[in-house]
Amino acid sequence: GAGVGVAARADVEDLVNEKVLQAIPVTTAIEDLDTALRSGAMALFGEKYGDRVRVVRIGDFSLELCGGLHTSTSAEVGLFKLTQERGVAAGTRRIEAVTGTGSLERFRAEHAVVRALEDLLSVPRSEVIDEIGRRLEQLKAIQRDLERERLAAVRARLAASLDSAQDVAGIKLLAQRVDGLDAAEARELADGLRRKLGSGVVILGRAQDGKAALLVAVTEDLTDRIPAGDLVRTLAKIVGGGGGGRRDMAEAGGKDPDRLDEALRAGETWIRERLEA
């Protein structure tokens, strides 16, 4: 499951601490396992028990098989603070907690974190959460602005390179690296460049997460002579991969981004050989 909610965890803490403060006497007895289980004693999931077991009773509140509880009253447990909970079986969850001096140490550690956040953010603790949320929103806005500027810069650079597109046997060819773009951005960019070329071929190569990606876009008038799928499959072999697609636009991936430049240069050779053939 998704786990126990914050409110439910607080309810558990409240209940246990209520019983702790009641200073309920703790008694122990050695019994046969079957007898103890029939009396309602709780056995922990996954634990192995012998024929004779130690049964711990905390008033009418708790009856368990336990070999390690050594208190005469519940009050000796001290402050009970949940630290985590997790599923151990269908419908069964295990909770873990600190008590006594362990609770105090945890409180001090968490208090130190809150104090550090107060100093770092220059706000009182009652406003720490709101201030973190506000700054995260600011960061997201800045990241969006930087992304827009990056894409605009890439588009501007490639638009300027249209004038220097290669002439390969009478065909305009624009082959460029566009590292940093994702697949959707590369497709959108290739489509725009293809329209601006009017008649020609666009090859975009990009390195992303240690891998290579290639995209070929061909204007409609050239798809019979230079099918995008055929070209991208050939180039993909250079970067250690494969791919394909439509005759006007096709994509491929590979595991060797260091050879992307070589693949882009090979596009000219492939087109020339194809046309001359």
Side-chain angles (χ1 to χ4, degrees), residues 7-57:
R9 291 177 59 154
D11 288 342
V12 171
E13 289 178 342
D14 289 345
L15 175 61
V16 173
N17 282 302
E18 175 190 338
K19 299 302 178 181
V20 166
L21 292 172
Q22 289 175 4
I24 302 171
V26 177
T27 60
T28 63
I30 304 299
E31 300 179 8
D32 291 335
L33 177 61
D34 291 341
T35 301
L37 293 177
R38 281 197 302 270
S39 69
M42 180 180 293
L44 293 180
F45 179 84
E47 294 289 338
K48 297 186 182 302
Y49 298 96
D51 294 334
R52 302 282 287 172
V53 292
R54 183 172 182 263
V55 181
V56 177
R57 182 186 299 274

Short mmCIF file of all heavy atoms in Angstrom, two decimals, residues 7-57:
data_model
loop_
_atom_site.label_atom_id
_atom_site.label_comp_id
_atom_site.label_asym_id
_atom_site.label_seq_id
_atom_site.Cartn_x
_atom_site.Cartn_y
_atom_site.Cartn_z
N ALA A 7 -1.89 11.67 9.72
CA ALA A 7 -2.87 11.71 10.81
C ALA A 7 -2.93 10.38 11.54
O ALA A 7 -2.98 10.33 12.77
CB ALA A 7 -4.25 12.09 10.25
N ALA A 8 -2.92 9.27 10.78
CA ALA A 8 -2.97 7.95 11.40
C ALA A 8 -1.73 7.68 12.23
O ALA A 8 -1.80 7.08 13.33
CB ALA A 8 -3.14 6.87 10.33
N ARG A 9 -0.59 8.11 11.75
CA ARG A 9 0.66 7.94 12.51
C ARG A 9 0.60 8.73 13.80
O ARG A 9 1.03 8.27 14.87
CB ARG A 9 1.86 8.34 11.66
CG ARG A 9 2.13 7.40 10.50
CD ARG A 9 3.28 7.86 9.65
NE ARG A 9 4.51 7.98 10.41
CZ ARG A 9 5.71 7.87 9.87
NH1 ARG A 9 5.83 7.59 8.59
NH2 ARG A 9 6.79 8.01 10.59
N ALA A 10 0.04 9.94 13.73
CA ALA A 10 -0.09 10.76 14.94
C ALA A 10 -1.03 10.09 15.94
O ALA A 10 -0.80 10.14 17.15
CB ALA A 10 -0.61 12.15 14.57
N ASP A 11 -2.08 9.43 15.42
CA ASP A 11 -3.01 8.73 16.30
C ASP A 11 -2.29 7.60 17.04
O ASP A 11 -2.54 7.37 18.24
CB ASP A 11 -4.18 8.16 15.50
CG ASP A 11 -5.14 9.24 15.03
OD1 ASP A 11 -5.11 10.36 15.60
OD2 ASP A 11 -5.93 8.97 14.10
N VAL A 12 -1.43 6.87 16.33
CA VAL A 12 -0.67 5.79 16.96
C VAL A 12 0.23 6.36 18.05
O VAL A 12 0.30 5.83 19.17
CB VAL A 12 0.16 5.02 15.91
CG1 VAL A 12 1.12 4.04 16.60
CG2 VAL A 12 -0.75 4.29 14.94
N GLU A 13 0.93 7.44 17.75
CA GLU A 13 1.80 8.06 18.74
C GLU A 13 1.01 8.53 19.96
O GLU A 13 1.44 8.34 21.11
CB GLU A 13 2.55 9.24 18.12
CG GLU A 13 3.62 8.84 17.12
CD GLU A 13 4.32 10.03 16.48
OE1 GLU A 13 3.76 11.15 16.54
OE2 GLU A 13 5.41 9.85 15.93
N ASP A 14 -0.14 9.15 19.71
CA ASP A 14 -0.95 9.63 20.83
C ASP A 14 -1.40 8.48 21.72
O ASP A 14 -1.36 8.58 22.96
CB ASP A 14 -2.19 10.37 20.31
CG ASP A 14 -1.83 11.72 19.68
OD1 ASP A 14 -0.70 12.19 19.91
OD2 ASP A 14 -2.68 12.28 18.96
N LEU A 15 -1.85 7.38 21.10
CA LEU A 15 -2.33 6.24 21.87
C LEU A 15 -1.22 5.64 22.71
O LEU A 15 -1.39 5.38 23.92
CB LEU A 15 -2.90 5.19 20.92
CG LEU A 15 -3.35 3.88 21.57
CD1 LEU A 15 -4.45 4.13 22.60
CD2 LEU A 15 -3.81 2.88 20.50
N VAL A 16 -0.05 5.40 22.10
CA VAL A 16 1.06 4.78 22.82
C VAL A 16 1.53 5.69 23.95
O VAL A 16 1.75 5.24 25.09
CB VAL A 16 2.22 4.44 21.87
CG1 VAL A 16 3.43 3.95 22.67
CG2 VAL A 16 1.79 3.39 20.86
N ASN A 17 1.67 6.97 23.68
CA ASN A 17 2.14 7.88 24.73
C ASN A 17 1.14 8.02 25.86
O ASN A 17 1.52 8.21 27.03
CB ASN A 17 2.48 9.25 24.12
CG ASN A 17 3.82 9.25 23.41
OD1 ASN A 17 4.85 8.95 24.01
ND2 ASN A 17 3.82 9.55 22.12
N GLU A 18 -0.15 7.91 25.53
CA GLU A 18 -1.17 7.92 26.57
C GLU A 18 -0.96 6.73 27.52
O GLU A 18 -1.02 6.88 28.75
CB GLU A 18 -2.56 7.84 25.94
CG GLU A 18 -3.70 7.71 26.95
CD GLU A 18 -5.02 7.40 26.27
OE1 GLU A 18 -5.16 7.68 25.06
OE2 GLU A 18 -5.91 6.85 26.95
N LYS A 19 -0.70 5.54 26.97
CA LYS A 19 -0.48 4.35 27.79
C LYS A 19 0.84 4.44 28.56
O LYS A 19 0.94 3.95 29.68
CB LYS A 19 -0.51 3.10 26.92
CG LYS A 19 -1.84 2.87 26.20
CD LYS A 19 -2.99 2.78 27.18
CE LYS A 19 -4.32 2.60 26.47
NZ LYS A 19 -5.46 2.54 27.43
N VAL A 20 1.84 5.06 27.95
CA VAL A 20 3.12 5.24 28.65
C VAL A 20 2.91 6.07 29.90
O VAL A 20 3.39 5.75 31.00
CB VAL A 20 4.15 5.92 27.71
CG1 VAL A 20 5.35 6.42 28.51
CG2 VAL A 20 4.60 4.95 26.63
N LEU A 21 2.18 7.17 29.79
CA LEU A 21 1.96 8.07 30.92
C LEU A 21 1.11 7.45 32.02
O LEU A 21 1.12 7.91 33.16
CB LEU A 21 1.31 9.37 30.42
CG LEU A 21 2.20 10.26 29.55
CD1 LEU A 21 1.40 11.42 28.96
CD2 LEU A 21 3.39 10.79 30.35
N GLN A 22 0.36 6.41 31.66
CA GLN A 22 -0.47 5.74 32.67
C GLN A 22 0.35 4.82 33.58
O GLN A 22 -0.18 4.28 34.55
CB GLN A 22 -1.59 4.94 31.99
CG GLN A 22 -2.66 5.82 31.36
CD GLN A 22 -3.69 5.02 30.59
OE1 GLN A 22 -3.66 3.79 30.57
NE2 GLN A 22 -4.62 5.72 29.93
N ALA A 23 1.63 4.64 33.26
CA ALA A 23 2.53 3.82 34.09
C ALA A 23 1.92 2.44 34.36
O ALA A 23 1.85 1.97 35.50
CB ALA A 23 2.86 4.53 35.40
N ILE A 24 1.47 1.77 33.31
CA ILE A 24 0.84 0.46 33.43
C ILE A 24 1.90 -0.57 33.82
O ILE A 24 2.97 -0.63 33.20
CB ILE A 24 0.18 0.06 32.10
CG1 ILE A 24 -0.86 1.11 31.69
CG2 ILE A 24 -0.47 -1.31 32.21
CD1 ILE A 24 -1.40 0.92 30.29
N PRO A 25 1.64 -1.42 34.82
CA PRO A 25 2.61 -2.46 35.19
C PRO A 25 2.86 -3.44 34.03
O PRO A 25 1.95 -3.78 33.28
CB PRO A 25 1.93 -3.17 36.37
CG PRO A 25 0.96 -2.17 36.91
CD PRO A 25 0.48 -1.39 35.72
N VAL A 26 4.11 -3.86 33.89
CA VAL A 26 4.50 -4.83 32.87
C VAL A 26 4.83 -6.14 33.57
O VAL A 26 5.64 -6.17 34.49
CB VAL A 26 5.72 -4.33 32.06
CG1 VAL A 26 6.16 -5.39 31.05
CG2 VAL A 26 5.40 -3.02 31.36
N THR A 27 4.20 -7.23 33.12
CA THR A 27 4.48 -8.54 33.71
C THR A 27 4.93 -9.49 32.61
O THR A 27 4.56 -9.35 31.45
CB THR A 27 3.23 -9.12 34.40
OG1 THR A 27 2.18 -9.27 33.43
CG2 THR A 27 2.76 -8.21 35.52
N THR A 28 5.76 -10.46 32.98
CA THR A 28 6.24 -11.46 32.02
C THR A 28 6.02 -12.86 32.57
O THR A 28 5.98 -13.07 33.79
CB THR A 28 7.75 -11.27 31.72
OG1 THR A 28 8.49 -11.49 32.93
CG2 THR A 28 8.03 -9.87 31.20
N ALA A 29 5.88 -13.82 31.64
CA ALA A 29 5.71 -15.22 32.04
C ALA A 29 6.23 -16.10 30.92
O ALA A 29 6.20 -15.73 29.75
CB ALA A 29 4.23 -15.52 32.31
N ILE A 30 6.74 -17.25 31.26
CA ILE A 30 7.20 -18.24 30.27
C ILE A 30 6.07 -19.26 30.09
O ILE A 30 5.62 -19.88 31.06
CB ILE A 30 8.48 -18.95 30.74
CG1 ILE A 30 9.58 -17.92 31.04
CG2 ILE A 30 8.94 -19.94 29.69
CD1 ILE A 30 9.98 -17.07 29.86
N GLU A 31 5.61 -19.42 28.86
CA GLU A 31 4.49 -20.30 28.57
C GLU A 31 4.78 -21.15 27.34
O GLU A 31 5.69 -20.85 26.57
CB GLU A 31 3.21 -19.48 28.34
CG GLU A 31 2.78 -18.62 29.51
CD GLU A 31 1.52 -17.82 29.20
OE1 GLU A 31 0.91 -18.07 28.13
OE2 GLU A 31 1.16 -16.95 30.02
N ASP A 32 3.95 -22.18 27.14
CA ASP A 32 3.99 -22.96 25.89
C ASP A 32 3.53 -22.05 24.76
O ASP A 32 2.62 -21.22 24.93
CB ASP A 32 3.07 -24.16 25.96
CG ASP A 32 3.56 -25.21 26.95
OD1 ASP A 32 4.77 -25.25 27.20
OD2 ASP A 32 2.72 -25.96 27.48
N LEU A 33 4.13 -22.19 23.58
CA LEU A 33 3.80 -21.34 22.44
C LEU A 33 2.31 -21.42 22.11
O LEU A 33 1.64 -20.39 21.94
CB LEU A 33 4.64 -21.73 21.22
CG LEU A 33 4.34 -20.96 19.93
CD1 LEU A 33 4.58 -19.46 20.11
CD2 LEU A 33 5.19 -21.49 18.77
N ASP A 34 1.77 -22.65 22.02
CA ASP A 34 0.35 -22.80 21.66
C ASP A 34 -0.55 -22.13 22.68
O ASP A 34 -1.53 -21.47 22.33
CB ASP A 34 0.00 -24.28 21.52
CG ASP A 34 0.66 -24.92 20.30
OD1 ASP A 34 1.07 -24.15 19.41
OD2 ASP A 34 0.75 -26.16 20.25
N THR A 35 -0.24 -22.28 23.95
CA THR A 35 -1.05 -21.67 25.00
C THR A 35 -1.03 -20.15 24.89
O THR A 35 -2.06 -19.48 25.01
CB THR A 35 -0.53 -22.09 26.39
OG1 THR A 35 -0.57 -23.51 26.49
CG2 THR A 35 -1.36 -21.47 27.50
N ALA A 36 0.16 -19.60 24.65
CA ALA A 36 0.30 -18.15 24.54
C ALA A 36 -0.49 -17.61 23.35
O ALA A 36 -1.17 -16.59 23.45
CB ALA A 36 1.78 -17.78 24.40
N LEU A 37 -0.41 -18.31 22.23
CA LEU A 37 -1.10 -17.84 21.03
C LEU A 37 -2.62 -17.93 21.22
O LEU A 37 -3.36 -17.05 20.77
CB LEU A 37 -0.67 -18.65 19.80
CG LEU A 37 0.79 -18.46 19.35
CD1 LEU A 37 1.13 -19.37 18.18
CD2 LEU A 37 1.05 -16.99 18.95
N ARG A 38 -3.08 -18.99 21.87
CA ARG A 38 -4.51 -19.12 22.11
C ARG A 38 -5.03 -18.02 23.04
O ARG A 38 -6.19 -17.61 22.96
CB ARG A 38 -4.82 -20.50 22.71
CG ARG A 38 -4.86 -21.62 21.68
CD ARG A 38 -5.57 -22.84 22.23
NE ARG A 38 -4.93 -23.35 23.45
CZ ARG A 38 -3.97 -24.26 23.45
NH1 ARG A 38 -3.52 -24.77 22.30
NH2 ARG A 38 -3.45 -24.69 24.60
N SER A 39 -4.18 -17.53 23.93
CA SER A 39 -4.60 -16.47 24.85
C SER A 39 -4.66 -15.11 24.17
O SER A 39 -5.08 -14.12 24.77
CB SER A 39 -3.64 -16.40 26.04
OG SER A 39 -2.36 -15.91 25.63
N GLY A 40 -4.21 -15.07 22.89
CA GLY A 40 -4.28 -13.81 22.14
C GLY A 40 -2.97 -13.06 22.04
O GLY A 40 -2.93 -11.93 21.54
N ALA A 41 -1.87 -13.67 22.50
CA ALA A 41 -0.57 -13.00 22.41
C ALA A 41 -0.19 -12.79 20.95
O ALA A 41 -0.38 -13.68 20.11
CB ALA A 41 0.50 -13.82 23.12
N MET A 42 0.35 -11.62 20.65
CA MET A 42 0.72 -11.29 19.28
C MET A 42 2.13 -11.78 18.99
O MET A 42 3.07 -11.54 19.76
CB MET A 42 0.65 -9.78 19.06
CG MET A 42 1.02 -9.35 17.65
SD MET A 42 0.92 -7.55 17.43
CE MET A 42 -0.86 -7.32 17.58
N ALA A 43 2.27 -12.49 17.86
CA ALA A 43 3.58 -12.95 17.40
C ALA A 43 3.99 -12.08 16.22
O ALA A 43 3.19 -11.84 15.31
CB ALA A 43 3.51 -14.41 16.99
N LEU A 44 5.22 -11.57 16.23
CA LEU A 44 5.68 -10.69 15.15
C LEU A 44 5.84 -11.47 13.86
O LEU A 44 6.36 -12.59 13.85
CB LEU A 44 7.01 -10.03 15.52
CG LEU A 44 6.95 -9.03 16.69
CD1 LEU A 44 8.33 -8.45 16.94
CD2 LEU A 44 5.96 -7.92 16.38
N PHE A 45 5.43 -10.87 12.77
CA PHE A 45 5.53 -11.50 11.45
C PHE A 45 6.99 -11.76 11.12
O PHE A 45 7.85 -10.88 11.26
CB PHE A 45 4.91 -10.58 10.39
CG PHE A 45 5.00 -11.14 9.00
CD1 PHE A 45 4.05 -12.04 8.54
CD2 PHE A 45 6.03 -10.77 8.15
CE1 PHE A 45 4.12 -12.56 7.26
CE2 PHE A 45 6.12 -11.28 6.87
CZ PHE A 45 5.15 -12.18 6.43
N GLY A 46 7.29 -12.98 10.67
CA GLY A 46 8.64 -13.31 10.23
C GLY A 46 9.55 -13.80 11.35
O GLY A 46 10.64 -14.30 11.08
N GLU A 47 9.13 -13.66 12.62
CA GLU A 47 9.96 -14.12 13.73
C GLU A 47 9.77 -15.63 13.93
O GLU A 47 8.70 -16.19 13.66
CB GLU A 47 9.58 -13.38 15.02
CG GLU A 47 9.88 -11.89 15.01
CD GLU A 47 11.37 -11.61 15.07
OE1 GLU A 47 12.12 -12.50 15.54
OE2 GLU A 47 11.78 -10.51 14.63
N LYS A 48 10.81 -16.30 14.43
CA LYS A 48 10.72 -17.73 14.72
C LYS A 48 10.71 -17.93 16.23
O LYS A 48 11.48 -17.31 16.96
CB LYS A 48 11.91 -18.48 14.09
CG LYS A 48 11.94 -18.39 12.56
CD LYS A 48 13.05 -19.26 11.99
CE LYS A 48 13.13 -19.14 10.47
NZ LYS A 48 11.87 -19.50 9.79
N TYR A 49 9.81 -18.78 16.71
CA TYR A 49 9.66 -19.01 18.14
C TYR A 49 9.85 -20.49 18.46
O TYR A 49 9.50 -21.37 17.67
CB TYR A 49 8.26 -18.56 18.60
CG TYR A 49 8.01 -17.09 18.41
CD1 TYR A 49 7.34 -16.63 17.27
CD2 TYR A 49 8.44 -16.16 19.34
CE1 TYR A 49 7.10 -15.27 17.07
CE2 TYR A 49 8.20 -14.80 19.16
CZ TYR A 49 7.53 -14.36 18.03
OH TYR A 49 7.32 -13.03 17.84
N GLY A 50 10.38 -20.75 19.67
CA GLY A 50 10.52 -22.11 20.15
C GLY A 50 9.23 -22.59 20.80
O GLY A 50 8.21 -21.91 20.80
N ASP A 51 9.30 -23.79 21.41
CA ASP A 51 8.11 -24.34 22.07
C ASP A 51 7.74 -23.54 23.31
O ASP A 51 6.57 -23.47 23.70
CB ASP A 51 8.36 -25.80 22.44
CG ASP A 51 8.51 -26.68 21.21
OD1 ASP A 51 7.96 -26.30 20.15
OD2 ASP A 51 9.17 -27.74 21.31
N ARG A 52 8.75 -22.98 24.00
CA ARG A 52 8.50 -22.17 25.19
C ARG A 52 8.83 -20.71 24.84
O ARG A 52 9.87 -20.42 24.27
CB ARG A 52 9.37 -22.64 26.35
CG ARG A 52 9.16 -24.10 26.73
CD ARG A 52 7.90 -24.29 27.55
NE ARG A 52 8.07 -23.77 28.91
CZ ARG A 52 7.09 -23.67 29.79
NH1 ARG A 52 5.85 -24.03 29.45
NH2 ARG A 52 7.33 -23.23 31.01
N VAL A 53 7.94 -19.82 25.20
CA VAL A 53 8.11 -18.41 24.81
C VAL A 53 7.92 -17.49 26.01
O VAL A 53 7.28 -17.86 27.02
CB VAL A 53 7.08 -18.02 23.72
CG1 VAL A 53 7.37 -18.72 22.42
CG2 VAL A 53 5.66 -18.30 24.19
N ARG A 54 8.47 -16.30 25.91
CA ARG A 54 8.31 -15.27 26.95
C ARG A 54 7.13 -14.40 26.57
O ARG A 54 7.11 -13.79 25.49
CB ARG A 54 9.59 -14.44 27.02
CG ARG A 54 9.61 -13.37 28.11
CD ARG A 54 11.03 -12.79 28.18
NE ARG A 54 11.18 -11.79 29.22
CZ ARG A 54 11.10 -10.48 29.02
NH1 ARG A 54 10.83 -10.04 27.80
NH2 ARG A 54 11.28 -9.63 29.99
N VAL A 55 6.14 -14.34 27.41
CA VAL A 55 4.92 -13.58 27.14
C VAL A 55 4.95 -12.31 27.97
O VAL A 55 5.10 -12.36 29.21
CB VAL A 55 3.67 -14.41 27.49
CG1 VAL A 55 2.41 -13.61 27.17
CG2 VAL A 55 3.68 -15.72 26.73
N VAL A 56 4.82 -11.18 27.32
CA VAL A 56 4.87 -9.88 27.99
C VAL A 56 3.47 -9.27 27.96
O VAL A 56 2.87 -9.12 26.90
CB VAL A 56 5.88 -8.93 27.31
CG1 VAL A 56 5.86 -7.56 27.99
CG2 VAL A 56 7.28 -9.53 27.36
N ARG A 57 2.97 -8.90 29.14
CA ARG A 57 1.64 -8.30 29.25
C ARG A 57 1.78 -6.88 29.82
O ARG A 57 2.41 -6.69 30.88
CB ARG A 57 0.75 -9.14 30.16
CG ARG A 57 -0.69 -8.60 30.28
CD ARG A 57 -1.47 -9.40 31.32
NE ARG A 57 -1.57 -10.81 30.97
CZ ARG A 57 -2.52 -11.31 30.18
NH1 ARG A 57 -3.45 -10.52 29.66
NH2 ARG A 57 -2.54 -12.61 29.91
#
